[in-house]
Amino acid sequence: MKTAMIKISVATLLSAGAAFGAFAQEFTKGVVNKVDAKANKVTIKHEDLKSLDMPAMTMVFRVEDPALLERLKEGSKIEFVAERVNGKLTVTEVK
């Protein structure tokens, strides 16, 4: 009986992991044009943001994590994830 319960639990975890993977954010390539540390904002010239259904353009994003903001330098080529956080376009990850 315990073996059956363990198998069911493992199957449940695996299916939950697969579902979570479907929501993984897609990284987009871009170039940092400006960093405004005081306002916690960054201007990025980016490729299509498929997850947000936006064409390539240059735009300003919020950055909530100060450590992330410190890693951004003007002229740097980056890959980033942008999401709507409280209705505002926000960079949430950078690599």
Side-chain angles (χ1 to χ4, degrees):
M1 179 100 166
K2 282 188 175 182
T3 304
M5 295 279 286
I6 291 172
K7 286 181 181 177
I8 291 171
S9 295
V10 169
T12 303
L13 287 172
L14 289 174
S15 64
F20 181 74
F23 294 109
Q25 294 296 324
E26 184 175 323
F27 280 86
T28 302
K29 292 180 181 177
V31 177
V32 177
N33 282 4
K34 181 180 177 184
V35 177
D36 185 348
K38 289 181 183 179
N40 292 328
K41 294 182 180 180
V42 61
T43 304
I44 302 173
K45 180 178 180 179
H46 61 79
E47 295 180 349
D48 292 349
L49 287 168
K50 295 175 186 169
S51 63
L52 296 171
D53 196 28
M54 287 187 170
M57 66 177 84
T58 301
M59 60 187 297
V60 177
F61 295 89
R62 292 183 52 192
V63 179
E64 290 186 345
D65 182 359
L68 189 85
L69 194 62
E70 289 175 12
R71 294 177 25 210
L72 301 173
K73 305 289 181 225
E74 291 180 19
S76 297
K77 292 182 181 180
I78 60 169
E79 291 185 37
F80 69 102
V81 174
E83 301 177 59
R84 289 194 190 279
V85 177
N86 297 323
K88 308 252 186 208
L89 292 174
T90 305
V91 173
T92 56
E93 292 182 59
V94 174
K95 64 176 181 177

